[in-house]
Amino acid sequence: MKRETVYALFSHIPALETPRLLLRRIAVGADMFDYARREEVTRYLMWNPHTDIRMTTDYLRYLQQRSRIGDFYDWAVVERQSGRMIGTCGFSRFDFNHDVGEIGYVINPDFQGKGYATEAVERVIAFGFAQLPLHRIEAVFIEGNERSRRVMENVGMTFEGYRREGMLIKRAYRTVGVCSILRDEAMGPSIETD
């Protein structure tokens, strides 16, 4: 997989749809602050709670800059019924040498327990295998975040195990679980032709 291909695709990130969600380019707005300020949301994430709306606005502007050059791979998750941004979902990184993408997601706690994370992750996985030459899509979760692990398993990912103190998160080494799905598992075996 070529970095240039991914950058070209994500610099004009296409909108994705599900029955209840619209996944679109990140835009500046107040909806993210509603969940980004909460300790319960950031407990299992790489970043700390946002302290004020300006912090969220600056962060969203930074993400928009990265999006313009194709170096940011997340969608805003918008609930169709309310029109609110209720989270983000997308690729947190690519391993270009091995055709691997890692996904990540966060959903506002007010909208959790309704299957939105599963719906968004399924759509991003389908996009990843259909639009990119990915062989494997994986996701990691901090030990103890069983809700996130359930989402991964609900979309067909296989739990592979834990990496002891595998990530430095907020100045502490944390044990993380790894789940993955392969192209053939998600799309069916490819047909070889002579």
Side-chain angles (χ1 to χ4, degrees):
M1 179 169 65
K2 294 184 178 174
R3 185 181 309 268
E4 298 79 22
T5 303
V6 172
Y7 280 22
L9 178 64
F10 281 94
S11 66
H12 302 289
I13 192 169
L16 306 177
E17 296 184 21
T18 74
R20 300 181 299 160
L21 302 172
L22 172 65
L23 281 68
R24 61 155 171 78
R25 178 184 291 271
I26 300 278
V28 175
D31 291 342
M32 179 184 242
F33 180 66
D34 183 44
Y35 65 85
R37 64 184 169 81
R38 301 184 196 189
E39 179 68 38
E40 77 230 47
V41 171
T42 62
R43 178 178 176 200
Y44 293 113
L45 299 176
M46 301 288 288
W47 43 276
N48 291 312
H50 290 194
T51 55
D52 56 44
I53 189 77
R54 183 184 174 117
M55 184 177 181
T56 302
T57 301
D58 290 346
Y59 178 65
L60 290 168
R61 286 191 178 124
Y62 165 73
L63 296 181
Q64 287 181 320
Q65 289 174 344
R66 286 186 56 204
S67 288
R68 282 193 280 281
I69 62 170
D71 185 29
F72 181 71
Y73 323 109
D74 258 2
W75 285 266
V77 177
V78 177
E79 183 193 44
R80 286 176 182 263
Q81 185 176 0
S82 68
R84 287 184 61 193
M85 177 185 170
I86 62 168
T88 59
C89 183
F91 292 95
S92 49
R93 71 172 184 86
F94 290 104
D95 179 337
F96 294 101
N97 293 322
H98 301 286
D99 300 330
V100 175
E102 180 183 311
I103 60 170
Y105 46 89
V106 60
I107 298 292
N108 183 327
D110 296 342
F111 294 86
Q112 290 178 0
K114 299 178 181 184
Y116 288 137
T118 299
E119 197 169 317
V121 171
E122 282 178 332
R123 185 63 185 95
V124 170
I125 287 172
F127 174 87
F129 285 131
Q131 301 298 317
L132 298 168
L134 293 174
H135 171 70
R136 171 187 165 97
I137 295 176
E138 60 189 27
V140 297
F141 63 94
I142 296 175
E143 185 177 36
N145 191 354
E146 291 305 311
R147 291 183 85 153
S148 190
R149 178 179 172 173
R150 278 194 303 277
V151 169
M152 295 171 194
E153 291 175 335
N154 285 343
V155 300
M157 291 184 147
T158 299
F159 175 65
E160 296 180 348
Y162 289 102
R163 289 192 306 233
R164 290 183 324 134
E165 297 188 5
M167 292 180 76
L168 181 61
I169 300 171
K170 299 175 187 171
R171 297 188 304 250
Y173 289 101
R174 304 293 298 272
T175 296
V176 294
V178 179
C179 293
S180 70
I181 188 167
L182 304 177
R183 173 182 288 279
D184 289 352
E185 294 168 342
M187 312 267 302
S190 60
I191 299 172
E192 298 285 330
T193 58
D194 292 331

